[in-house]
Amino acid sequence: MKKIIGALALVAAGGTLAGIPAVAHASGTNSTASLPVAQIEHVMQADGTVSNGVLDISESRSDVHVSGGTPSVPFVTGFAIHHDLYFQMISGNRAMFNGDIAVKPNEIQPVIDALLRNNLIFQAEHQHLYNITPMMWFIHFRGTGDPVTLANHV
C-alpha cells in the first residue's frame, strides 16, 4: 500500500511504512523543473499541488470520526484530522521533506519507530485539538535526500 502517509498512521511493515485508509484531497498538479512530482505522487499514491517549487500532498483520515466540544459536535471528515507532506528541492538531487500526520494514541510509538527506522527525523508529537473523541495526536518529522527515496521512506 502506500496511501500517503498520508496518514500514515504509520505502522512498521517490513522496514517500510504503511498508511491507514485515507481520502486524498482533490487537487491538481503543477510542474516544477527539478522536483520529480509525478514520481513522488506515484509512490505516495496521492496527488499534490506545487506552489513556488514546493510539492504539498494532503490527505484526510477517513477511518477516524471525530467529535468535540460541549455539546459534542461531529467533525466533517478531514476537518483538522489530516496529514500534510511537503517536498522541496534544495540542491542537485537533494530535497527537503517535512511531514505532519494525525495519529491515534495507539499509533504513536509504531509511527515514531518506523520514522526512525527509515532515517527520518522525528521532530515533535503534540495535540492540535483538545476535548475531542477519539483523542488525536500529531507527529512532525523531516528528512533530506533524494526526493523519491524520501517518498518511499514515508
Side-chain angles (χ1 to χ4, degrees):
M1 139 341 359
K2 249 191 187 135
K3 265 198 177 172
I4 179 166
I5 218 175
L8 288 183
L10 317 152
V11 223
T16 63
L17 304 179
I20 33 191
V23 175
H25 289 220
S27 63
T29 301
N30 299 325
S31 63
T32 185
S34 57
L35 189 65
V37 174
Q39 289 176 282
I40 295 169
E41 291 175 328
H42 176 75
V43 168
M44 301 305 300
Q45 297 183 4
D47 292 333
T49 56
V50 176
S51 178
N52 296 318
V54 177
L55 171 61
D56 173 5
I57 298 176
S58 296
E59 285 197 8
S60 298
R61 291 258 335 226
S62 62
D63 64 319
V64 179
H65 304 286
V66 177
S67 60
T70 305
S72 185
V73 176
F75 286 28
V76 173
T77 299
F79 176 76
I81 310 298
H82 61 277
H83 317 288
D84 291 311
L85 306 173
Y86 302 96
F87 294 83
Q88 180 178 12
M89 295 303 293
I90 53 176
S91 68
N93 193 37
R94 292 181 51 78
M96 175 70 185
F97 165 76
N98 269 307
D100 175 13
I101 60 172
V103 298
K104 296 182 282 187
N106 66 321
E107 298 167 339
I108 294 169
Q109 196 58 54
V111 168
I112 293 171
D113 291 345
L115 292 172
L116 298 175
R117 191 169 33 261
N118 283 280
N119 298 313
L120 295 171
I121 299 167
F122 166 64
Q123 291 177 271
E125 166 210 342
H126 59 100
Q127 295 171 317
H128 289 184
L129 305 163
Y130 299 94
N131 194 24
I132 63 170
T133 304
M135 180 49 66
M136 297 297 295
W137 291 83
F138 293 82
I139 295 180
H140 296 258
F141 54 100
R142 70 177 193 270
T144 58
D146 174 79
V148 177
T149 301
L150 289 169
N152 275 300
H153 286 168
V154 178

